């Protein structure tokens, strides 16, 4: 048997979808692939083996909703057996889901809980408030905790209230504006100019209370530039993505991929080949949000 060629260690992290569906179903969800069913253990085990060979150091279990996976503890422990750190991104609020996460929180390197501003909750028809996100974070004994706030139509009053709620809590705060495609902008009665201005106003309200890093502001500037004038720029992310059915891609929005069931040589060639997918606002937003 010929050993597989080593893959250049360009990929350090991987998003792994634990399910092709989510009961929460946010109206502004960025997920590019949706289907019934959960990530199966044999597929996941093979995925971990291939990711390890590709130089990946950690996996992030993501949506659907990881807390709904009936074998979540097994997913985490299997990753540990491959020497991979594990983080989880969740919207869990139900008592049973939060209790399940609490039992495995000590196995995680990081727990991120998603929350929405009041305007984002109205727009996406969600109930993921900051208050309930904090309750989940406080119930799960993870060593590092992040509250990821998706924001839309934020007033100065709400920004101050969010800051006050988080001021004395030991959690990292990540911010992401709601991303709307052209059809969603039209449904909201917004021109592209008005949509981008709404994002800018919301961001400045939050900036009165949260220290926004130069990297975050650069990210927003790049997103807005892509919205006004899409450019031909190849995605060079070091973040891989694996769908719940075992399709390995360079990006959740990637147009090409390879099954983790494929021979090692095929996977090696796919990962070693020059990237070809173009950067879009959606993929740029989900890539940044995953970090």
């Amino acid at each position: 048997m010929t050993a597989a060629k080593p893959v250049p260690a360009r990929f350090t992290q991987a998003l792994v979808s634990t399910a092709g569906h989510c009961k929460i179903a946010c109206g502004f969800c960025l997920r590019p692939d949706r289907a019934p069913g959960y990530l199966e253990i044999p597929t996941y085990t093979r995925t971990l083996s291939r990711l390890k060979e590709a130089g990946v150091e950690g996996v992030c279990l993501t949506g659907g909703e990881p807390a709904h996976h009936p074998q979540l503890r097994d997913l985490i422990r299997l990753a540990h057996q491959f020497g991979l750190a594990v983080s989880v991104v969740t919207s869990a609020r139900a008592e049973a889901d939060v209790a399940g996460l609490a039992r495995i929180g000590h196995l995680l390197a990081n727990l991120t809980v998603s929350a929405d501003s009041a305007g984002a909750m109205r727009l996406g028809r969600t109930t993921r408030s900051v208050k309930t996100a904090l309750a989940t974070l406080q119930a799960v004994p993870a060593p590092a905790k992040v509250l990821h706030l998706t924001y839309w139509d934020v007033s100065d009053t709400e920004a101050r209230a969010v800051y006050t709620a988080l001021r004395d809590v030991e959690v990292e705060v990540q911010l992401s504006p709601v991303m709307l495609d052209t059809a969603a902008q039209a449904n909201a009665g917004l021109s592209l100019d008005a949509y981008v201005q709404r994002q800018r106003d919301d961001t400045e309200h939050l900036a009165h209370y949260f220290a926004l890093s130069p990297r975050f502001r650069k990210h927003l500037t790049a997103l807005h530039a892509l919205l006004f004038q899409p450019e031909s720029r190849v995605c060079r992310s070091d973040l891989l993505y694996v769908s719940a059915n075992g399709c390995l891609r360079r990006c959740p929005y990637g147009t090409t991929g390879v099954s983790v069931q494929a021979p090692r040589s095929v996977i090696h060639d796919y990962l070693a080949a020059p990237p070809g997918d173009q950067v879009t606002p959606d993929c740029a937003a989900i890539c940044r949000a995953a970090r």
Side-chain angles (χ1 to χ4, degrees):
M1 181 180 294
T2 303
K5 301 176 184 178
V7 175
R10 295 176 296 155
F11 306 104
T12 59
Q13 301 289 322
L15 288 175
V16 178
S17 177
T18 57
H21 62 286
C22 176
K23 298 176 184 176
I24 297 169
C26 304
F28 46 75
C29 180
L30 289 173
R31 290 202 63 205
D33 56 339
R34 308 183 192 193
Y38 294 103
L39 175 63
E40 297 180 353
I41 293 296
T43 299
Y44 178 65
T45 303
R46 192 174 181 91
T47 294
L48 294 174
S49 178
R50 299 302 173 262
L51 292 177
K52 184 71 175 180
E53 292 168 359
V56 168
E57 300 169 356
V59 295
C60 176
L61 303 181
T62 182
E65 172 50 57
H68 294 161
H69 197 289
Q71 296 171 289
L72 179 59
R73 177 183 288 270
D74 293 334
L75 299 184
I76 296 169
R77 290 199 176 278
L78 277 168
H80 287 172
Q81 291 176 18
F82 282 89
L84 302 177
V86 186
S87 60
V88 165
V89 176
T90 180
S91 294
R93 299 297 197 275
E95 183 177 351
D97 292 340
V98 175
L101 288 172
R103 289 191 290 271
I104 53 86
H106 64 288
L107 300 173
L108 302 176
N110 176 287
L111 175 72
T112 297
V113 177
S114 301
D116 303 319
S117 70
M121 286 195 289
R122 290 191 297 270
L123 183 69
R125 302 178 300 281
T126 78
T127 57
R128 307 188 308 178
S129 70
V130 169
K131 180 179 180 180
T132 56
L134 282 175
T136 297
L137 284 165
Q138 290 167 347
V140 181
K145 303 180 181 183
V146 178
L147 187 145
H148 183 208
L149 180 68
T150 301
Y151 62 88
W152 176 257
D153 197 16
V154 178
S155 66
D156 185 82
T157 299
E158 182 182 11
R160 183 171 63 250
V162 171
Y163 170 77
T164 300
L166 299 174
R167 180 174 50 195
D168 300 322
V169 182
E170 293 186 6
V171 300
E172 179 186 344
V173 178
Q174 292 180 350
L175 302 173
S176 292
V178 165
M179 294 299 297
L180 300 178
D181 60 21
T182 303
Q185 292 169 33
N187 289 338
L190 295 171
S191 64
L192 178 57
D193 285 330
Y195 165 63
V196 170
Q197 190 58 51
R198 170 74 58 83
Q199 284 194 352
R200 289 172 175 160
D201 291 345
D202 291 346
T203 301
E204 290 313 308
H205 287 151
L206 290 164
H208 292 160
Y209 304 97
F210 296 93
L212 305 186
S213 69
R215 180 185 177 189
F216 179 70
R217 289 190 177 277
K218 182 179 179 180
H219 164 72
L220 286 183
T221 299
L223 279 181
H224 294 158
L226 279 171
L227 288 169
F228 281 111
Q229 188 172 358
E231 59 180 279
S232 180
R233 179 159 56 96
V234 175
C235 175
R236 297 187 182 277
S237 172
D238 61 357
L239 185 73
L240 291 174
Y241 174 77
V242 184
S243 65
N245 64 2
C247 181
L248 175 65
R249 299 201 290 271
R250 292 175 177 270
C251 166
Y253 288 88
T255 56
T256 63
V258 62
S259 171
V260 296
Q261 306 296 340
R264 282 184 170 89
S265 60
V266 174
I267 295 174
H268 171 275
D269 290 346
Y270 171 75
L271 294 179
D277 292 315
Q278 300 296 308
V279 175
T280 66
D282 283 341
C283 80
I286 201 170
C287 186
R288 186 264 168 193
R291 294 171 185 273

